[in-house]
Structure formats: C-alpha cells, structure tokens
Amino acid sequence: MDASCRVALAAYLHDLGKFAERARLEAGADALDAHKTQYCPWHSISPGSKSGYHSHVHAAYTALAFDHIESHAPDLVAGDMTPFVGRAQLQAGAGSAGRDQATDSLVNAAAAHHRPETFLQWIIATADRLASGFEREAFDAYNAAQEGNKDTSTGRNHYQARLLSLLEQVNIDGAPAKHSLQSLQWRYPLRALSPQAIFAQRRAQCEPGADAPAQKEYAELWQQFLRALEDIPASHRRQWPLWLDHFDTAWLTFTHAIPSATAFGSKPEVSLYDHSKTTAALAVALWRWHDAQGKTDAAAAATLKERRDWDEQKLLLIQGDFFGIQDFIFADGSQTRREAARLLRGRSFQVSLFTELAALKVLDALELPPTSQITNAAGKFLIVAPNTPETLAQLGTVRAELNQWFLQHGFGLAGLGLAAKAASCNDFLDKKPTHRFKALMNSLFTDLESAKLHRFDLSAASAPDVFAVAYPHGVCRFNDRLPADQVDAHGASAALSRDQIAIGKELSRQHRLLVLRQAEALATGPSVQRLEVPIFGYTIAFTAEEDRSGKFGNLVQGGVLARCWDFSLPESLDALLWNGYARRYINAFVPRFSSVDLQTQAKYKGIEGDVDADDVQFNAGKTLNHLACEDRLPDTDDTSNASSWRGQVALMTLKGDVDNLGTIFQQGLQAPTFAKMAALSRQMNAFFAVYLPALCAAEFPNTYTVFAGGDDFFLIGPWRSTQRLAVRMAHAFNQYVAENPGITFSAGMVMTKPGLPMHTLAAQAENALDAAKAASQADPAQRKNALVVYGERVRWPDWMAIDHMQQQLEEVCNAYDLSTSYVYGLLHLIDLASNPKDPEHAMWRSRFAYRTRRYVVDKLKDRDPLARAQAQTRLATVLGEQGLGQLGTKFRIPLFNYFYRQR
C-alpha cells in the first residue's frame, strides 16, 4: 500500500511545476538551468545547431517545487522509499549502478515525464499520455511545443489562458460543434473551490489579457495551497493512504480551475486536478501490473517507450453501483411519520456512505491508494486497478462480502453491484476509425447495467431458498421489513434503523466522520457518536470540529483510523471547501429552527398532535410537519389576532434528473479522453452535490435535500418555496452548463399533506418526472427539459410566462378585490377554453365576459364608470386573453398557487 501511494504521489504531482511556474516560484538561475537540462526536452533550431530551446519548462519547476511539498508529506527523506530510492541512498550512490538508481528517485520520476529514461519514469510518462489520450505523433508534436507562445486564435499564453468549460462543448443533437478556442466563450475563474467557483464565466470576465494580473492570480492561489497543506494534521502523515486522501482534496480545492495543457495547439479544457488524478490512478495500476509480472527493468522501459505492449490488457476498470436506492430510502414502518425527517436524512446519507465504504473496501483489499478511485457520485464509483489474477480473486472476495452484508442487514432489498473490465493502453486512445476509447466507455456503461441486473448470486447451489430469520420482538417500527432486535418504551426497532435516526440527529451538529478498523479503539462521548452496525467491516463514528474532538493521532499511530472525512456544508456560496481533511460531498442540507422561527411559532398551529413540543428548539432539525407550515403568511385581514396565519399547510416534493445523461457521456464530447470523462463526471456531480445544498442553505433554508448528486435530486420543502427553488435551479443549471441548450434537466413536483407514506410520495414524484420527460403527441420534439406541477407540464423556456401570470394575477386580485368565487370560476373555464373539440369551446369567451361584467357591475359599483371600464378591460386582457386564451390548462398553476395562499 505505501509503495503504491508513493507511485501515486509521484504521478499525481508530475505537473506540479505548471502551478508553480505560472505562480512565478522564485528559483535561482543556476538551479533552474540545471533542472531544465535534466528534465526538459531540448530542441535545436536546425540540425547540428547549438541554438535552440527547452520546451515544457514546467518539468524543471516540478522538481524545484517538490521542496515545498516535502515538509508536509509523509517521510520522503530517511524512511523506506520503495519502489524509489531515498535521498540517503542517492547521496551514497556510486558507480554506474548508483547513477542509474539515482534517476529512480520519486522526484526524478515525477519531473522526467517529458524525457523519461528509467522504468519508473516511463511508468509515469505512459500514464500521462494515456490520461490525455495522446497518440505517438500527437504527443511528439505536443512535446516540441513552446508553452510560452500565445495561441494565435485567442492571443493568450499559458499564464493568461483560463480553463475552458467541457459542458459548453457537449454536443448530442448533431449540430455543428464548437472546435476553435475563439468560438468557445466560457472560462472558469482562477479561484479556489467554492460552490460559486464551479460556475464558468464569460471569457471577458475572468481571462486576463496581460501577464502581470494573470501571474498574480496564480501566486495568490499558490500561497493559499501551501497554507492549506499546513492544515492537514501532522499526525496523519504516519499513514500514507490517510494523508494522500487529505492531500487529494487540497489539490482539488486549489487546482480545479487550473488548465492542465496550454501549449500551442492544445485546448485548455481539462483541469490540472483531473489530469493529475487520472494519471496517478493509471500509473499505480501499470506499476503494480509490471511488478506482479516481474517486468521492471530497462527492457520493460524500452517496451513502454516503443509501445510494443500497449495491446496487452494490464488495466482493470472496476465499477460499483448501488441499487435499490428508492426502496431503501423510502421504506415504511408503523412509526415512520413522526421520525420521517430524521429517517430520510439518515437513509440518504447511508446510501452515499455505503458507496464510499464499498469503494474503500475494494481499495483496501487491492492495496490501492485513494487516488485510484476516479469517481464516486450518486451511488456509483470507478476504480483503476492492475489486471492480475490476484486482483480478480480479491475482487471476488469483496463482492461476496458486500453481498453477504446486504443480505444480512437488508435481505436483498438493496445492494451494490461490482463489474470489472480489462483494458489495454491502446484502449485509452481514440484514434480513427476504431475509436477504441469510446468503445471502452460504451462497454463500461453496458457492464454496469448488467451488474445491476445480477444483484445477488441467489441461483448458486449454496444460496438459501428462504432466509432463516427470527422475529422475537416483531418487526422494526421504522422499517416493517426488518426484524427488531431491541425493545424500548417506544416499541421495537432494528439496529440499522436506530443508526439511521442517529445519523439524522448527528448531521445537524457534527461535521466529520471517522472510518475505523477497530470499534473498541474509540470511546463515545459528547463529541463522538459511534454507529451500532459495522459497515463492511468498518466502524463509523461522527465527530465535531477538531477543537472539540481532537485530531485522533493515537488512532493513526495504531493504524486504526482508515479515513477521516469532512462532510460539513459551506456557510455561504463563496465559502472555501477546505477544512484540513479529505472532503466527501455526501451530506444533505438540513432545515433548522432559527430565532425567527421560534418567535413566529403561531404559524405551526394545528400540527401539535403530530410533533413533540420539544422538537422546536434553536438549531434543531425541523420535522416535515413544520416544513409544511413554512409558506404560511400572517393574516393581514385579521389584525386583531397576531397568531392568525393563512395559507395551505402542505409539502412539495421535487424529483428530477439530467436529460439524456447516457448520451452526454457516450457521445457528447468530440475527442473524449480518460481525464475528460473524469472531469465531466465530477463537474456534473458538483452542481447537485456541491452547489445545490449550498443554494438551499443560502436562499431556501426550509428545503430537505433528501439526495442530490450525480445527475439527480430529490427535495422536499414547503409547497410554494419549492416551486421557486425549482425555477432557481433551472436558471442556475443553464448558467452552469455555459448556456448549452443540449444539457437540460427535467423535474416532477407533487403537493401533499405531511404524513403521506414516503414510498407513496416517492412514487408520485417519479410519475410526475416521467410525465415531464414525455413527448406530446402534437410536438414529439418537445420532450424533456420540462417541469410538471399540479399535473401540468411546462417546458423551462416557457416558465417565464407562468411566473409573469402569477404576478399579474396577484395584482388584479388585489387591485379589484376579486372574490374567491370569481377566481374559482376561472378553473371551470380552463378546460372549455383549452379543448377545441368540445362543442361548447367557442362559448368560453362569452361566459368569461359575462361573469367579468357582472362582477364589475356588482362588486365595483362604488367606482366611477371610467374605472369600471378600465377594470373590465384589464381583467379581460390578463385573465381572459393571457390566462385562459394563451396559457390554457397551464393557467391552473398560478390559480392553484393563489388559492392555496388564501386558505
């Protein structure tokens, strides 16, 4: 494991110099020249000429910048440096053998990727080329390019160029794709990671036109990065995987917007983070395969150099997929109503936690570092491993252990499928006409779908026909499919359900999660809460910030602490997503009681029988019953009663996902590479897992993000605010994808009273989402990119008309004191106005005109004739022509919203 982590770090930081050089890291001229001579390719102006230039000077800066990393990393000086040579050995090296070994130091292997010589240098150089999908000819041209030259199409050099948006370039509808840098208008600002920083901006907003301001941005980011390394607990350096996991998050935080390749002819479209991560994963897998085969000598280096073995299947892509998510999250019991909010929080968190821990189980079993895990989002993960018999055997053991755990604790209602796909180096290239990388990606999608259908090996001879399960205490009161193992004053429960409720409580007050290999090594207390059920052999504990809980150095020393994850939510949209620990975006936003809520408790009148009085406490999580009251307003008509509130007590469930996701990943990018696919997956996940919870915290604090990540989301909130959130999301998503009309999401909304069984609510929301994605008979092209609310389907581009009508309806109702009966009567005219086949269709205008005239004459008789005429004209225009005539059945949406606000 430690050796693999060292290879990972060397490969991970092979382009460290790109960051350091653009930040203008101070280096003496002699030292820089020496490093250029050692690591950078030399190109003569003409054959035999002594004049020329060193290209890819960043490689020299990689070696120079390693000194800044070394003091914050695990021991890179005196200890075991296998498979590299340590500094002490380098200094003692003598003779030709010693000089050969010297080139195999970790720093040399990282920095020499543009002019590799030794086996380990060629391992990293090969991984570098695979991550970028470089054919030999393309790489040779890239290797000769001078990075400092300005690109002729944009007028920007490597200091000034900012990262392009892959989302802008996705094309799935056959329209002409944007290829040139000049035609691509969106760039990412060079800022540390925050919920707001993941949004691309117009080029003019964030791409400097001169070196000085561009280098200043890099210098500030570099200093932030160096200070961030100091935040990683020093005790965690004793365990390579633990420290490398923290470092991975730090590198993501400060390099997510740095373009990896900016040399002439290269699009700056893949971030330094995504290129580093994929290179590290590939390098470790390649090294482990060669090590297992005993092919680590100069002959192996030559074979890699000549690409003679690039068709040999050295790599194994391992995918995991959690299935049965909805059945797991929305399981019912006799007492799920009172604990519904906590159960939702706990189960949703567990789904993400199961996936993370399953990936960790694979990594541990295969002795792979955390950087070998490329993606993990929405219940799916991808790991790069060596394709060896030992790997396949260990993977089979892990698969059996995972299956057994899910069968034991969930009886097969949920589980996690594992699929493995062997691949060669050439499979990562997309050379025409074979397009092997696209074929590899398509095959991965197919394998994952197959794995989901092979959930458990219940057809094996050893599989039981019926589970022999005892129910000595009956069924769990929170999940009627589980046997209870404990009885208290409130009834019987299962340990897994108790953990879910405990998680639901801890999420609102804890910020870190410990993954332990020994349960007894950690005592519980005020700042540490341990879960009852070990998951895949790991014990899980929740802790507070380190100033309350400490850094757990004693657990690191004994090898007990496998991981320490920060899952806290940012305090604002601009908050930095780095707190000194590896971050996992597995937390949902939890609505909590504010001081204003406590001062306005009268709005909760009527739900007393469904909640406990002590539920209403400052900073405590709100129940779904409380959320249902949050869109109520003070009754201004009853000024004598300060406790009088009006408006519907109801919830709105919002479920949605990205349209055509499979097509986006399989054919959306013109020239896909492994790094690009990893970047696209990370960016798609970031909107829902990073930005959405932060948006809820900032602007929609009464929304439960039941789950949000990957490409989908499930939210519950007050009936009216959730509509506004859906519209806000659609607007933000359009900005996030660089206004690409080919990337959209659809959503379904269902309004219910609190207390409806959760599985019923989920099924209704799913049906609404299906309706949103359905094509109309009149125009099949108008599929997806739509919202269904109150049973009405509205495409997002048309929502502005609904919103405008809502405002006008409120205005005319207030201006003319429209009665409930008059407004309600409009609902009866909608079907008539919207159905040309109805024999009485032509009569809707006359009926509307008659009712409006009667209302004006009878109810506005105190106004002068001109005012009454103006009122009739305005009502005819707003409610008649624009509402009934133009919106048709969609007019129900603003009408229903109006009625529910009055009740």
Side-chain angles (χ1 to χ4, degrees):
M1 174 66 83
D2 287 357
S4 295
C5 286
R6 294 184 194 102
V7 173
L9 182 65
Y12 202 111
L13 294 182
H14 74 285
D15 276 344
L16 173 66
K18 291 183 177 178
F19 193 177
E21 192 271 334
R22 295 172 201 172
R24 306 310 296 150
L25 177 70
E26 291 186 9
D30 291 342
L32 181 58
D33 287 341
H35 283 78
K36 285 181 182 180
T37 301
Q38 185 171 1
Y39 300 117
C40 304
W42 171 260
H43 306 277
S44 297
I45 298 299
S46 61
S49 172
K50 293 184 179 180
S51 299
Y53 64 93
H54 282 107
S55 67
H56 298 80
V57 176
H58 70 268
Y61 278 90
T62 290
L64 290 167
F66 245 94
D67 290 342
H68 295 266
I69 307 298
E70 191 174 77
S71 61
H72 302 292
D75 185 10
L76 296 176
V77 179
D80 180 12
M81 285 297 295
T82 306
F84 303 101
V85 177
R87 181 173 297 176
Q89 292 170 286
L90 292 179
Q91 293 172 348
S96 60
R99 286 195 295 272
D100 289 342
Q101 286 183 343
T103 61
D104 281 334
S105 71
L106 189 150
V107 176
N108 285 350
H113 58 285
H114 279 286
R115 48 174 303 181
E117 296 178 1
T118 68
F119 167 71
L120 287 171
Q121 291 170 8
W122 267 109
I123 283 289
I124 294 174
T126 301
D128 177 34
R129 289 150 173 74
L130 295 184
S132 301
F134 270 126
E135 294 285 348
R136 183 193 299 272
E137 298 81 3
F139 181 79
D140 289 343
Y142 170 76
N143 213 29
Q146 289 182 279
E147 193 169 38
N149 290 345
K150 290 187 176 182
D151 186 277
T152 55
S153 64
T154 64
R156 299 292 190 269
N157 60 23
H158 65 300
Y159 298 118
Q160 302 161 13
R162 294 295 177 256
L163 184 68
L164 301 176
S165 169
L166 285 174
L167 296 168
E168 181 184 10
Q169 301 176 64
V170 166
N171 177 29
I172 63 172
D173 58 7
K178 297 177 180 179
H179 300 303
S180 70
L181 290 175
Q182 199 167 15
S183 65
L184 297 170
Q185 297 300 312
W186 295 81
R187 307 289 191 272
Y188 289 98
L190 192 65
R191 298 206 305 265
L193 186 64
S194 70
Q196 196 61 55
I198 64 175
F199 281 75
Q201 299 176 356
R202 291 286 183 179
R203 182 185 173 200
Q205 295 178 265
C206 64
E207 192 168 65
D211 284 352
Q215 291 168 350
K216 182 181 178 181
E217 289 184 355
Y218 270 110
E220 292 173 352
L221 198 62
W222 174 256
Q223 292 302 319
Q224 284 183 281
F225 169 63
L226 294 181
R227 289 194 296 269
L229 296 183
E230 299 175 359
D231 296 334
I232 301 176
S235 61
H236 290 202
R237 299 176 201 160
R238 300 169 187 164
Q239 293 291 333
W240 262 103
L242 184 63
W243 178 86
L244 193 57
D245 199 25
H246 298 328
F247 183 84
D248 179 62
T249 294
W251 190 250
L252 166 65
T253 303
F254 298 100
T255 67
H256 77 103
I258 295 178
S260 174
T262 56
F264 183 77
S266 297
K267 276 186 181 179
E269 59 187 352
V270 175
S271 76
L272 186 54
Y273 172 77
D274 293 298
H275 180 67
S276 301
K277 185 76 171 282
T278 49
T279 300
L282 291 165
V284 170
L286 287 171
W287 172 71
R288 289 280 294 274
W289 184 91
H290 276 267
D291 188 60
Q293 301 293 322
K295 298 179 179 180
T296 60
D297 55 9
T303 301
L304 286 170
K305 177 181 180 180
E306 298 300 325
R307 304 192 178 194
R308 293 196 300 267
D309 61 349
W310 274 38
D311 273 325
E312 190 159 7
Q313 292 183 323
K314 302 177 183 180
L315 306 168
L316 192 69
L317 301 181
I318 301 170
Q319 297 179 103
D321 190 5
F322 190 96
F323 55 76
I325 290 179
Q326 291 211 159
D327 288 340
F328 181 82
I329 291 179
F330 300 114
D332 274 334
S334 60
Q335 295 187 31
T336 53
R337 180 177 178 181
R338 186 176 292 271
E339 294 284 0
R342 287 172 179 166
L343 282 169
L344 279 176
R345 294 199 296 267
R347 289 170 178 172
S348 174
F349 190 88
Q350 271 188 337
V351 167
S352 299
L353 184 59
F354 288 156
T355 313
E356 290 287 352
L357 292 176
L360 177 58
K361 186 74 174 178
V362 173
L363 293 173
D364 275 354
L366 304 184
E367 294 187 277
L368 292 172
T371 50
S372 292
Q373 178 181 322
I374 297 298
T375 61
N376 198 336
K380 298 179 177 65
F381 63 78
L382 174 64
I383 290 171
V384 183
N387 183 28
T388 64
E390 293 79 10
T391 297
L392 293 170
Q394 287 292 338
L395 192 61
T397 300
V398 171
R399 183 184 289 110
E401 290 182 16
L402 295 178
N403 284 344
Q404 183 58 39
W405 192 94
F406 280 109
L407 290 173
Q408 177 184 350
H409 294 282
F411 305 107
L413 297 174
L416 194 139
L418 286 176
K421 179 73 176 179
S424 69
C425 293
N426 277 328
D427 286 331
F428 285 80
L429 308 181
D430 206 45
K431 187 175 182 178
K432 297 178 181 179
T434 55
H435 294 293
R436 290 176 65 166
F437 183 70
K438 283 186 178 180
L440 177 63
M441 290 297 103
N442 292 339
S443 179
L444 285 176
F445 278 99
T446 302
D447 289 351
L448 197 57
E449 289 302 312
S450 177
K452 290 170 64 175
L453 298 176
H454 293 79
R455 296 189 173 188
F456 298 100
D457 191 16
L458 296 180
S459 61
S462 60
D465 295 326
V466 178
F467 290 110
V469 181
Y471 287 79
H473 303 296
V475 299
C476 172
R477 66 182 186 269
F478 304 113
N479 186 334
D480 55 17
R481 298 174 179 178
L482 299 181
D485 59 8
Q486 182 175 301
V487 179
D488 57 22
H490 301 287
S493 62
L496 193 64
S497 296
R498 292 193 297 274
D499 276 349
Q500 290 161 357
I501 294 174
I503 291 172
K505 294 178 181 177
E506 297 302 321
L507 288 182
S508 62
R509 61 192 186 95
Q510 309 287 39
H511 298 94
R512 285 187 293 152
L513 186 144
L514 304 178
V515 181
L516 308 167
R517 293 191 170 95
Q518 296 176 18
E520 63 276 7
L522 181 69
T524 58
S527 61
V528 178
Q529 178 64 46
R530 198 168 64 198
L531 299 184
E532 289 186 53
V533 181
I535 303 174
F536 316 145
Y538 301 109
T539 296
I540 307 303
F542 288 86
T543 74
E545 298 92 336
E546 64 181 31
D547 58 346
R548 290 173 52 201
S549 64
K551 303 177 184 180
F552 302 100
N554 60 318
L555 299 180
V556 179
Q557 181 70 26
V560 174
L561 185 61
R563 294 290 190 272
C564 182
W565 290 330
D566 171 23
F567 61 83
S568 62
L569 293 178
E571 297 180 357
S572 69
L573 292 173
D574 292 319
L576 189 68
L577 294 175
W578 169 251
N579 294 312
Y581 296 86
R583 175 175 283 275
R584 292 297 186 270
Y585 302 99
I586 57 179
N587 197 3
F589 176 72
V590 177
R592 305 179 191 181
F593 288 105
S594 66
S595 57
V596 175
D597 292 322
L598 300 183
Q599 295 168 13
T600 57
Q601 291 190 48
K603 62 186 172 185
Y604 302 129
K605 186 176 181 181
I607 64 170
E608 293 85 355
D610 297 316
V611 298
D612 294 327
D614 58 1
D615 282 340
V616 185
Q617 299 181 21
F618 178 74
N619 215 33
K622 294 181 179 179
T623 70
L624 297 182
N625 295 85
H626 291 108
L627 291 188
C629 301
E630 294 299 346
D631 276 342
R632 305 182 78 187
L633 299 171
D635 191 348
T636 55
D637 294 334
D638 188 3
T639 55
S640 62
N641 185 1
S643 64
S644 180
W645 291 68
R646 62 181 174 85
Q648 190 68 247
V649 176
L651 296 169
M652 187 72 84
T653 301
L654 171 61
K655 188 177 192 303
D657 60 38
V658 174
D659 301 319
N660 308 308
L661 184 72
T663 305
I664 289 172
F665 276 95
Q666 289 175 284
Q667 62 186 56
L669 295 176
Q670 178 199 14
T673 66
F674 194 43
K676 283 186 192 178
M677 297 302 292
L680 188 61
S681 177
R682 178 181 62 81
Q683 291 172 356
M684 191 66 75
N685 177 65
F687 180 84
F688 300 106
V690 178
Y691 175 74
L692 180 55
L695 175 66
C696 290
E699 299 181 22
F700 300 91
N702 290 310
T703 305
Y704 269 120
T705 52
V706 178
F707 60 78
D711 73 308
D712 62 350
F713 52 92
F714 191 105
L715 314 176
I716 298 178
W719 65 275
R720 186 71 181 98
S721 298
T722 307
Q723 289 181 54
R724 297 191 183 98
L725 171 57
V727 177
R728 181 76 170 81
M729 283 178 62
H731 175 75
F733 189 72
N734 183 55
Q735 295 296 309
Y736 184 74
V737 300
E739 298 182 358
N740 186 337
I743 310 179
T744 59
F745 73 77
S746 296
M749 304 185 76
V750 177
M751 182 176 175
T752 60
K753 286 288 188 179
L756 189 73
M758 294 307 301
H759 67 86
T760 302
L761 188 152
Q764 291 181 357
E766 184 69 33
N767 291 337
L769 175 57
D770 290 342
K773 289 180 176 290
S776 66
Q777 292 182 350
D779 189 357
Q782 298 294 299
R783 296 182 68 241
K784 305 182 180 181
N785 193 28
L787 168 73
V788 165
V789 57
Y790 301 135
E792 296 294 331
R793 182 176 185 272
V794 183
R795 301 192 80 242
W796 290 118
D798 302 327
W799 183 265
M800 186 178 294
I802 302 293
D803 210 30
H804 182 63
M805 174 52 62
Q806 189 77 58
Q807 298 174 22
Q808 291 199 89
L809 177 62
E810 299 284 346
E811 290 174 3
V812 296
C813 286
N814 293 331
Y816 306 121
D817 195 23
L818 297 183
S819 66
T820 301
S821 61
Y822 172 81
V823 180
Y824 193 80
L826 298 174
L827 288 172
H828 296 287
L829 294 176
I830 287 178
D831 287 332
L832 194 63
S834 305
N835 186 7
K837 296 181 180 180
D838 192 315
E840 298 184 351
H841 167 70
M843 300 178 63
W844 76 264
R845 295 181 187 278
S846 59
R847 292 182 181 179
F848 170 78
Y850 173 76
R851 295 186 71 254
T852 302
R853 177 62 181 169
R854 285 291 307 271
Y855 184 84
V856 169
V857 171
D858 295 343
K859 301 296 183 180
L860 303 181
K861 56 187 176 183
D862 294 336
R863 305 190 185 189
D864 61 71
L866 179 59
R868 291 199 298 272
Q870 290 174 337
Q872 185 167 345
T873 299
R874 190 178 180 197
L875 290 173
T877 300
V878 172
L879 303 180
E881 294 305 319
Q882 297 177 7
L884 293 168
Q886 296 176 16
L887 291 182
T889 60
K890 298 178 182 62
F891 190 31
R892 288 195 181 96
I893 298 173
L895 286 175
F896 282 153
N897 285 339
Y898 175 78
F899 285 126
Y900 291 143
R901 287 189 62 182
Q902 311 308 314
R903 295 180 179 178

